[in-house]
């Protein structure tokens, strides 16, 4: 079902990767090696795909969107490098994380470099004939995403210390840490493609709900995914005490005794693998996975309703956006 989407994603990858690796060249070699490590390792390139399809759907061409598509992927990689330090994760995309390979100090700098290079990539848009006012709008959107992701990541950390995080607080947090960059990707694509204010807004709402569904799926995979397929650790959310939707739901359903058992393991960095598995079983026993799956599907449907409000120029791009939207909750990696 997704072959067509994955084929297009590969096509986008080749163009975007070429641009990214060209802009990420320099010295000292260690800094650039560390900065390009995850990019070379793999990744789905969903944000570039979303940006390019949002540009196409309102009538823009694929090629003028490439520097911006590279910008959001470079920015995404910046967040991953710093996120893995924060979450103490040792592998991603099937390879050791940047701080595991080069140390935390170099990883911080690699992240800083990627952050700056994301904006550098956007500044290349005028060379392709994108009008200055569209470039300014694009920069504003990426700046908004930078601020919002930082706020979301801070909330994610603060929630680890609390037992009373609500579902609505969780939704607000994932909108910031994850959906904001999806929104900016769509928004930037639509701006570059010359979409109307309404089209830009509708595409950003489409991406807001898709981003929410995407993060809920990420939380599910973090509990029941296959590490080899996923390329990143499973159960580390429990070790770090993350208040994922699964944990919030389970805490609201478990009896006092089981709730205490779960809370003793959550956030215990010395927990054994058996204890982490026990916590996962407790969470699953409440029906948390099914609950989260349903919630994600609701956001996928909501997302589609916004796509249907867009004045479409390129029907094939819309078709691919629909496939992408359905992929986010069915993916296994
Ligand atoms: C991982 O994003 C970080 C989250 C927002 C959950 P992706 O699942 O898109 O990661 P890659 O780029 O494919 O590795
Ligand atoms: C996702 O963080 C959001 C960002 C990276 C900004 P997570 O910590 O939930 O994502 P993974 O599971 O490590 O990819
Ligand atoms: Mg993480
Ligand atoms: Mg994190």
């Amino acid at each position: 079902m997704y072959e067509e989407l994955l084929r297009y994603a590969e096509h986008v990858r080749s163009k975007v990767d070429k641009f990214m690796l060209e802009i990420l060249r320099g010295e000292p070699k260690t800094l650039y090696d560390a900065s390009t490590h995850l990019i070379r390792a793999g990744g789905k390139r969903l944000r570039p795909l979303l940006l390019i399809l949002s540009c196409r759907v309102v009538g823009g061409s694929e090629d003028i969107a490439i520097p911006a598509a590279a910008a959001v992927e470079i920015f995404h990689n910046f967040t991953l490098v710093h996120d893995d330090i924060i979450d103490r994760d040792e592998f991603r995309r099937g390879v050791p994380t940047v701080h595991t390979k080069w140390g935390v100090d170099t990883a911080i700098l690699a992240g800083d470099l990627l952050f700056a290079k994301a904006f550098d990539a956007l500044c290349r848009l005028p060379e392709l004939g994108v009008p200055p006012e569209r470039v300014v709008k694009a920069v504003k959107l990426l700046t908004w995403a930078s601020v919002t992701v930082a706020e979301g990541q801070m909330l994610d950390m603060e929630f680890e210390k609390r037992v009373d995080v609500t579902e609505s607080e969780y939704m607000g947090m994932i909108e910031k840490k994850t959906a904001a960059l999806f929104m900016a990707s769509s928004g930037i694509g639509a701006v570059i493609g010359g979409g109307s204010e309404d089209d830009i807004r509708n595409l950003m709402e489409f991406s807001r709900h898709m981003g929410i569904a995407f993060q809920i799926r990420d939380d599910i995979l973090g509990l029941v995914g296959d590490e080899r397929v996923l390329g990143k650790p499973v159960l580390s959310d429990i070790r770090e005490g993350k208040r994922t939707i699964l944990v919030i739901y389970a805490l609201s359903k478990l009896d006092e005794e089981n709730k205490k058992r779960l809370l003793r393991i959550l956030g215990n960095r010395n927990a054994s693998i058996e204890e982490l598995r026990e916590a996962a079983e407790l969470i699953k026993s409440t029906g948390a996975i099914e609950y989260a799956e349903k919630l994600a599907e609701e956001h996928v449907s909501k997302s589609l309703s916004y796509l249907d409000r867009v004045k479409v120029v390129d029907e094939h791009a819309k078709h691919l956006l629909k496939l992408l939207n359905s992929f986010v909750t069915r993916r296994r990696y």
Side-chain angles (χ1 to χ4, degrees):
M1 179 181 175
Y2 297 110
E3 288 81 19
E4 191 185 0
L5 179 71
L6 297 175
R7 230 183 2 259
Y8 189 64
E10 282 313 307
H11 166 74
V12 161
R13 179 198 301 278
S14 64
K15 290 189 176 184
V16 172
D17 282 19
K18 184 165 176 283
F19 190 97
M20 288 198 290
L21 293 173
E22 263 168 32
I23 207 169
L24 288 166
R25 283 205 327 222
E27 283 177 356
K29 188 174 181 298
T30 307
L31 177 63
Y32 286 85
D33 284 349
S35 301
T36 53
H37 172 65
L38 289 179
I39 292 173
R40 286 182 272 108
K44 297 180 285 296
R45 305 291 188 269
L46 295 185
R47 296 151 190 84
L49 193 56
L50 181 56
L51 189 148
I52 289 171
L53 290 173
S54 299
C55 176
R56 278 184 52 190
V57 84
V58 298
S61 79
E62 180 182 289
D63 284 339
I64 56 161
I66 300 298
V72 294
E73 182 63 24
I74 292 171
F75 182 88
H76 169 56
N77 278 267
F78 143 67
T79 71
L80 297 180
V81 173
H82 283 191
D83 179 73
D84 287 332
I85 300 173
I86 297 167
D87 293 345
R88 298 169 174 75
D89 280 328
E90 289 179 350
F91 62 99
R92 176 180 293 280
R93 295 177 173 172
V95 297
T97 47
V98 178
H99 69 98
T100 305
K101 202 166 151 85
W102 282 276
V104 170
D105 298 1
T106 299
I108 292 171
L109 288 175
D112 291 348
L113 182 83
L114 289 166
F115 179 79
K117 287 285 185 179
F119 287 89
D120 189 14
L122 282 185
C123 293
R124 308 287 170 95
L125 286 168
E127 292 166 22
L128 297 181
V130 177
E133 60 277 12
R134 291 186 191 172
V135 179
V136 172
K137 276 190 179 171
V139 171
K140 272 192 175 172
L141 281 165
L142 194 61
T143 305
W144 169 79
S146 311
V147 170
T148 308
V149 171
E151 291 171 357
Q153 289 285 70
M154 190 70 218
L155 288 172
D156 190 59
M157 282 161 53
E158 287 183 351
F159 288 178
E160 290 168 17
K161 300 179 199 77
R162 287 178 40 198
V163 288
D164 59 349
V165 178
T166 63
E167 182 174 315
S168 122
E169 286 181 299
Y170 164 84
M171 295 303 287
M173 181 273 284
I174 67 168
E175 250 192 77
K176 288 184 168 213
K177 78 165 179 176
T178 302
L181 186 55
F182 277 70
M183 291 173 75
S185 301
S186 244
I188 293 170
V191 164
I192 293 172
S196 68
E197 286 300 323
D198 274 350
D199 290 338
I200 296 166
R201 229 186 341 264
N202 285 323
L203 279 164
M204 287 180 72
E205 286 306 310
F206 163 76
S207 295
R208 179 201 306 277
H209 293 287
M210 184 163 74
I212 289 170
F214 178 88
Q215 182 62 47
I216 294 173
R217 183 69 187 158
D218 189 73
D219 288 353
I220 295 172
L221 291 172
L223 196 77
V224 298
D226 177 340
E227 275 187 359
R228 279 161 309 179
V229 179
L230 202 56
K232 60 186 183 184
V234 167
L235 300 183
S236 98
D237 283 348
I238 295 180
R239 185 196 65 220
E240 294 301 311
K242 295 291 180 196
R243 271 21 175 190
T244 66
I245 187 66
L246 307 165
V247 167
I248 293 169
Y249 184 83
L251 288 175
S252 78
K253 294 289 166 194
L254 288 170
D255 61 31
E256 276 311 309
E257 196 194 322
N258 282 323
K259 190 171 159 180
K260 268 198 202 123
R261 277 170 67 195
L262 179 58
L263 284 172
R264 260 203 303 272
I265 303 170
L266 277 181
N268 174 3
R269 295 202 176 118
N270 300 316
S272 65
I273 183 70
E274 288 75 23
E275 287 172 314
L276 295 177
R277 286 199 187 117
E278 182 194 343
E281 287 310 317
L282 279 171
I283 295 169
K284 281 194 259 178
S285 73
T286 63
I289 305 280
E290 294 74 14
Y291 177 78
E293 280 172 346
K294 195 166 149 279
L295 191 62
E297 281 312 324
E298 282 167 20
H299 283 280
V300 161
S301 306
K302 214 173 207 167
S303 173
L304 276 185
S305 73
Y306 284 102
L307 184 59
D308 283 330
R309 293 180 208 178
V310 175
K311 202 165 157 289
V312 174
V313 176
D314 180 340
E315 285 293 342
H316 185 237
K318 179 175 177 179
H319 167 68
L320 291 172
L321 282 172
K322 280 187 172 172
L323 282 179
L324 177 61
N325 189 53
S326 123
F327 172 76
V328 299
T329 52
R330 283 168 184 76
R331 66 194 176 94
R332 298 180 57 238
Y333 62 97

